[in-house]
Amino acid sequence: MRSDPSWNPKLTLHCVACDTHHPLQSLAWRCADCHGVLDLAGFTPAFPTAADLARRPATLWRYAEALPLAEPAAITLGEGMTPLVTAPGRPDVRLKVDYLMPTGSFKDRGAVFLAALASGLGVGRMVADSSGNAGTAVAAYAARAGIACEVYVPAATSPGKVAQLRAYGATVHQIPGSREDTADAAAEAADTSGTLYASHVHNPFFFHGTKTYVFELWEQLGGRLPQTLVLPLGNGTLVLGAYLGARELLAAGLIDRLPRIVAVQAAPCAPLAAAFRNGQNAPAEITPEATVAEGIAIARPARGAQILEAVRSTGGSITTVTDDQVRAAHAALARAGLYVEPTGAACWAAISAGLIGDGDSGREDDLPSVVAPLCGSGLKSKPPTDPST
C-alpha cells in the first residue's frame, strides 16, 4: 500500500471520544480502541485570494488551499460551483441546485475525496452503504479511479438509483430490513484487509468535500453567508460539512458570524428532532416509519451528538416535515422548473410551511436571508404521489 505524496504527511484520523490517533494507511473507519467516530487531524486550511479564484476553473477544487487533498486530475468530473437561484415566490430565499452535480446529487462533493483517498493509498476495493445517492456517487468516482466497488443499499431503494449503481460497474447488495441493517452489512464487509470503507458517515474526508457547499455560497454571495442555512438531515453529511466550512471561514476572518443552521428531518423518522426538542445530547430512541423522503430516513445517525452540538452552537434548530408537506413542496418546485427527488423537497417544505422562523431580521438588502439546497435529481426516484413509493 503506497502513500500519496500530494497530501500532508501529518494528517491522521482522530477519535473524538478517546483522543486516539490512527494513520490514514490503517484504513480505520472507526476507533480501534473505543469504536468512536473519527475526525481529520493535522490539517489547517488556508484560502485563495480573489485574484487566485478569478483564474481558476469553476469547480470545488478552486479552494485548493482549504482542502486536505490535491485535485485528483484523473478522477474529477468537474464537480462543484452549482447554480444559486431565487426560490419561487420568495425573493429573500435562494436555492442551490446541487442536483446538477455529475451523478445527480450533492454527494459528489464528498465521494470524489473518498475515491482520491483510496487511489492515493493504493486501495483495490471500496465498500459503501447508502440509501442511493451516496452509493451512486462513490460508484461513479470509483469507476473513474479504476477501483472495484461494492455498494450496500436497502431493498426498497429506488430502481433508478440501483440501475445507476450497476451502470457504473458496482456490485450492488440489496439488504432487507432497515437502513441500519444495510449499514451493518456494509461495515462487516468493509472489515477486510485492503478495503476502504467509503462511508459518507464515518470517513471524515467526506465532510471536507461537503464543506465546499458553504465555500461556494460565500463566493457566490460576494464574500458573505446568509443569516440561515436550511439543510436536510439524515446522517448529517451536509449539516456537518456546512458547519465545518463556516467555522473555517470564520477562523480565517472571511465572515464575522456563523450562519444559523436549521436542519430538516422527515417526521416519520426524526431521532435528532426529538433529541433537540428534549434537550438530549444524543439521538432519541425511535421506531422509524416509512417516508417518501427516503434519503433522510436514518433512525440511528452515527454522528448524532456532533450534529446536535453543531446546530445548537449556531443558535439553530431541528424541525420536521410531514410526507404531505414534502409532496406539496415537490410539486411546487416542479412547477417552478426544479425537478428534485422527494428528499430534495424537504427543505423547501419546511420553508414553505413557515417552520424556519424570521429570516429577515437584520438582513442586508442584497443578501438572501435563507439558502437551502436541492440535493438530488428527480430523475432518480419515483414521484412521491406514486402509491407504491
Side-chain angles (χ1 to χ4, degrees), residues 2 5 21 67-68 82 131 151 169-171 180 214 217 257 329:
R2 68 183 185 275
H21 286 256
L67 304 176
T82 53
S131 59
V151 182
T171 299
E180 286 66 38
V214 163
L217 280 183
R257 56 167 177 79

Side-chain angles (χ1 to χ4, degrees), residues 13 15 22 26-38 184 187-188 191 197 202-204 303:
L13 301 170
C15 178
H22 305 270
S26 71
L27 303 183
W29 62 270
R30 61 183 177 184
C31 180
D33 292 345
C34 74
H35 287 185
V37 294
L38 303 175
D184 291 344
E188 182 177 354
D191 280 333
Y197 185 17
H202 290 281
N203 195 304
R303 293 184 182 264

Side-chain angles (χ1 to χ4, degrees), residues 50-63:
D52 289 331
L53 290 172
R55 292 190 296 265
R56 294 179 180 179
T59 74
L60 62 80
W61 300 101
R62 61 197 284 106
Y63 310 109

Side-chain angles (χ1 to χ4, degrees), residues 224-291:
R224 301 168 296 172
L225 289 178
Q227 178 183 344
T228 302
L229 296 175
V230 181
L231 301 167
L233 177 55
N235 273 311
T237 54
L238 192 51
V239 169
L240 290 174
Y243 178 61
L244 173 62
R247 284 194 297 114
E248 290 181 351
L249 288 168
L250 183 65
L254 296 173
I255 56 174
D256 57 10
R257 56 167 177 79
L258 291 176
R260 183 173 67 113
I261 292 177
V262 177
V264 181
Q265 295 213 280
C269 186
L272 292 170
F276 186 89
R277 184 172 57 249
N278 298 330
Q280 298 171 231
N281 294 323
E285 294 284 340
I286 66 164
T287 300
E289 299 177 10
T291 172

